[in-house]
Structures are given as C-alpha cells and as structure tokens.
C-alpha cells in the first residue's frame, strides 16, 4: 500500500524560500514517477514539479527556475525546494505518485511524443499549506 506524508511548508514573506518534503512508503523510486501538485482556494489543482524513475524532471512554467524537485533515495523522501516565493505561490501542496508505465519513456505533465507518457497520479498525500505574504 502506497502512503505519502508531506511535511514542511508554513509561512514566509515574499521573496523568501521554503521547502516541503514527502516521505513515501510502499513505493520505490525506481518504479514510480513522483511529484507535486498545488491548489489554491477557488483555483484548479496545478501540477508543478515531477521527477521520474530515471531522475528526469518536469516543471510547470509558473515555477520553472524557482523550484527544485529532488529525491533522497536512502530516506524514501521527495523534496521540493522553493525560492523567490510570491503570494501567488500560496496554496496547499500535495505529494503524488504513479507507478511507471514504461521504463523506456519519461513521465511528463503533458506528452505528445513517443518518448514520454502523461503523468496521472493515483496516490496522494494529505497536503501541506504554504502561505506567502506580501
């Protein structure tokens, strides 16, 4: 049984940095594509960062260059380091995972190439709040 538990988050002023982590159990990094979504009140859920079984990454344009996703395989922990935060980054952040469909292809938020497959997570954490004040 896959279980994802987020930690971290909190409050920070605009321009600051913050990290969130996700401890995963029941899934190994080599078999799962994992990443982060976020959802702000009144807005749709947004996929922001993912990391594949091969270590390849994909980011939403809204966070590209500011957020970094990584894995600590020894601790089965997924991390998201966020910098240059602004109030628009305020949201509940969710860790998510999906078993790899094809080890010869990379997982991506959107895929229109035979070299990738679209990530549609089946497992979710409970979420952790990030609030950025101006």
């Amino acid at each position: 049984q896959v279980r994802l538990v987020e930690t971290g988050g909190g409050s920070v002023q605009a321009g600051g940095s913050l990290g969130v982590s996700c401890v995963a159990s029941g899934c190994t990094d080599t078999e799962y594509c994992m990443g982060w979504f976020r959802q702000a009140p009144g807005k749709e859920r947004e996929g922001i960062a993912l990391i594949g079984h091969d270590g390849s990454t994909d980011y939403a344009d809204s966070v590209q260059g500011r957020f970094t996703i990584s894995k600590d395989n020894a601790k089965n922990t997924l991390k998201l380091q966020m910098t240059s935060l602004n109030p628009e980054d305020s949201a509940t952040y969710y860790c998510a995972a999906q078993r790899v469909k094809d080890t010869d292809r990379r997982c991506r938020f959107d895929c229109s190439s035979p070299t990738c497959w679209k990530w549609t997570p089946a497992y979710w954490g409970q979420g952790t709040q990030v609030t950025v004040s101006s």
Side-chain angles (χ1 to χ4, degrees):
Q1 181 179 358
V2 176
R3 186 165 183 252
L4 306 172
V5 179
E6 299 98 336
T7 60
S11 298
V12 67
Q13 289 191 329
S17 300
L18 205 60
V20 290
S21 296
C22 171
V23 178
S25 59
C27 60
T28 63
D29 63 290
T30 57
E31 297 178 343
Y32 283 78
C33 178
M34 301 183 68
W36 296 90
F37 279 75
R38 68 183 181 186
Q39 188 167 22
K43 294 187 177 181
E44 292 188 357
R45 187 174 56 190
E46 175 189 22
I48 56 172
L50 64 79
I51 185 165
H53 68 289
D54 60 351
S56 62
T57 58
D58 194 15
Y59 294 93
D61 291 342
S62 58
V63 305
Q64 181 75 48
R66 300 188 298 123
F67 290 12
T68 302
I69 189 170
S70 63
K71 294 187 295 185
D72 184 336
N73 296 332
K75 297 181 179 180
N76 288 333
T77 300
L78 182 71
K79 298 181 179 181
L80 184 69
Q81 183 63 35
M82 304 176 285
T83 64
S84 301
L85 287 161
N86 57 67
E88 289 69 39
D89 294 315
S90 297
T92 300
Y93 283 68
Y94 298 92
C95 177
Q98 181 184 6
R99 182 180 287 274
V100 170
K101 291 184 176 180
D102 184 341
T103 56
D104 292 328
R105 295 188 292 156
R106 295 179 172 181
C107 56
R108 287 293 180 265
F109 286 115
D110 294 298
C111 177
S112 57
S113 162
T115 63
C116 60
W117 54 275
K118 183 180 174 68
W119 187 51
T120 53
Y123 304 99
W124 297 85
Q126 80 287 352
T128 186
Q129 181 66 38
V130 171
T131 302
V132 185
S133 58
S134 58

